[in-house]
Amino acid sequence: MAVRDDHGWREDAYLDANPDVKAAVARGIVRDGYHHYLLMGRFEGRRGGGFDREPSATTKLCFDPWENAEFTLDGALKPCCIFLHGVGTGDGGGMEAARDAPFFRDLRHRLLTGDLGPECARCHIRPTVPARKFVEALYPRLPGSKHLLESGNLDRVRVDVTQKCNLRCVYCALSVEGAPAGAHMAEPVLERVGRFILEHPGISDAAINGHGESTHHPHWREFCEGLLDGGAPLSIITNLGRVYDEAEIATLSRFRVIQVSIDTADEELLRRIRRKVELGRILANMALIRARALRDGRRLPVFSFSCGLYDKSIVRLEEFAALAVAMSVHIVTFWDLMKYPDLPGAENVRPLAALDDAELRRGLACYDRALAILTKYRVDVQVAGGFVDGLRERAGCAAGTA
């Protein structure tokens, strides 16, 4: 497939100016001139193709525009949670076609060349890497017939089922004065998205995660039961702070992964930060879900913790690590806090980047001790975007020496 001239690239001109590349493409050794230039040609000083902008030396290590599909409340498709809007999908058949809409092709081109838009540039989840390393990593992930600007095999789906929540965490955008009330995904959209997921049996993860609390949707259980009956591998990020009925517990017990959003093992702090949640309720729900899976003879869901690191959570992190071990949590993911305006009268928190060096070193020392506990008991630790490394560099301390 020839590269479209969306970005000033001239495929034919590049091949004519580089006969050896043209011959390699004809023999199937190289996919096309666009791929050759990104991987090798630009570093060899090749001419002829031309871009509106010359490629950057770095980019984000992100395969989402090729492998991930995220559905908004109205059924539009976007590449990840960083983007606020997506591509309209119309009826069910338009969902697959939307993956190769100009919006997605442009985003892929920007990642390949390092000409990042504002969303990717500010993303704190994906690390920055040399652009050549990214192209080399992407190449084997695409089917042989696919062009670098085309979608790859769909691996993950995320469904923004709701933007409403049962909590009002002090650091959440939903708590900011004037924030929209949010809405639930309508039933016809749920049905279309459900059909799309079941039509892609190769998906490794179907995440039922809204910007609110997914289990707050009035029809979340029926939607998930239909997917589970169809064999979809469901996961969810949830505060797990509601009182669930027996049917809801049964549905949750069928999930592959349940990631519990919880930042601290300190009951009082959790109540003040998360507002409207009880630690005991979260732990009781974990126990009920496991008991139901055992009763029904199913494999237990994999439980993980999603923990925000900020000034008041990091200094209590050892206790949190001990709780994760005691509750047989398999994975702990740490994420960096995005700061919104402080709330009047609330126990507000500060991101780690806002701490002075002395505070940061004390916090990192707590982090290292917590990490030692988790490592000792073989709990997998993931750090979104590797943000802790940058904080260490700023504070002038290596791992274990904060």
Side-chain angles (χ1 to χ4, degrees), residues 70-73 78 81 157-165 172 174 183-185 207-217 220 223 235-239 261:
E70 181 165 329
F71 290 99
T72 65
L73 285 179
K78 59 181 186 175
C81 62
V157 173
R158 184 177 183 272
V159 186
D160 189 5
V161 294
T162 186
Q163 292 179 347
K164 294 188 176 185
C165 190
C172 181
L174 295 178
H184 297 309
M185 182 176 278
I208 312 303
N209 297 328
H211 283 81
E213 167 57 37
S214 298
T215 66
H216 201 49
H217 192 293
W220 77 270
F223 174 62
S235 68
I236 189 171
I237 299 178
T238 170
N239 59 55
S261 180

Side-chain angles (χ1 to χ4, degrees), residues 155-156 203-207 228 232-236 251-259 299-304 330-331:
D155 182 56
R156 302 174 307 281
I203 291 172
S204 68
D205 179 49
L228 290 164
L234 297 194
S235 68
I236 189 171
T251 299
L252 286 168
S253 74
R254 300 179 65 189
F255 273 63
R256 185 180 61 88
V257 176
I258 299 176
Q259 188 172 39
R299 186 174 182 177
L300 298 182
V302 171
F303 274 98
S304 68
H330 290 73
I331 306 165

Side-chain angles (χ1 to χ4, degrees), residues 89-285:
T89 56
D91 59 20
M95 290 183 169
E96 182 62 37
R99 298 182 64 215
D100 282 309
F103 168 81
F104 276 87
R105 292 176 65 92
D106 181 69
L107 178 57
R108 291 168 191 145
H109 173 78
R110 286 179 172 274
L111 282 166
L112 286 164
T113 61
D115 180 23
L116 302 180
E119 295 87 359
C120 295
R122 72 168 182 263
C123 174
H124 64 283
I125 298 173
R126 305 302 185 200
T128 299
V129 297
R132 183 171 184 170
K133 178 180 178 181
F134 174 70
V135 179
E136 290 173 342
L138 174 65
Y139 183 81
R141 301 174 78 108
L142 289 178
S145 60
K146 288 281 188 175
H147 186 272
L148 290 179
L149 294 182
E150 292 184 294
S151 59
N153 291 329
L154 187 61
D155 182 56
R156 302 174 307 281
V157 173
R158 184 177 183 272
V159 186
D160 189 5
V161 294
T162 186
Q163 292 179 347
K164 294 188 176 185
C165 190
N166 55 311
L167 304 184
R168 281 296 178 267
C169 303
V170 298
Y171 53 67
C172 181
L174 295 178
S175 299
V176 175
E177 185 177 355
H184 297 309
M185 182 176 278
E187 288 188 72
V189 180
L190 283 174
E191 292 173 3
R192 283 168 40 211
V193 172
R195 288 196 299 270
F196 176 87
I197 293 173
L198 294 178
E199 288 167 359
H200 291 79
I203 291 172
S204 68
D205 179 49
I208 312 303
N209 297 328
H211 283 81
E213 167 57 37
S214 298
T215 66
H216 201 49
H217 192 293
H219 303 294
W220 77 270
R221 196 186 72 79
E222 295 88 342
F223 174 62
C224 292
E225 283 289 332
L227 292 174
L228 290 164
D229 289 345
L234 297 194
S235 68
I236 189 171
I237 299 178
T238 170
N239 59 55
L240 213 61
R242 290 185 49 235
V243 176
Y244 297 107
D245 62 32
E246 201 168 317
E248 290 176 309
I249 291 293
T251 299
L252 286 168
S253 74
R254 300 179 65 189
F255 273 63
R256 185 180 61 88
V257 176
I258 299 176
Q259 188 172 39
V260 184
S261 180
I262 176 174
D263 303 341
T264 180
D266 184 316
E267 295 184 62
E268 290 302 319
L269 179 64
L270 183 67
R271 188 180 296 111
R272 295 195 302 271
I273 299 295
R274 288 299 184 94
R275 302 189 295 180
K276 303 182 181 181
V277 70
E278 301 289 336
L279 179 62
R281 170 53 54 190
I282 296 172
L283 303 184
N285 282 333

Side-chain angles (χ1 to χ4, degrees), residues 2-3 5 8-25 30-51 54-55 147-148:
V3 181
D5 192 27
W9 175 253
R10 298 184 295 276
E11 178 76 5
D12 291 343
Y14 184 73
L15 296 180
D16 290 342
N18 299 278
D20 58 328
V21 179
K22 188 173 186 177
V25 171
V30 178
R31 293 193 185 201
D32 46 62
Y34 179 85
H35 170 260
H36 179 274
Y37 182 76
L38 290 174
L39 189 61
M40 292 174 282
R42 57 173 153 166
F43 305 105
E44 297 171 352
R46 302 272 188 159
R47 296 290 182 264
F51 276 125
E54 281 301 302
H147 186 272
L148 290 179

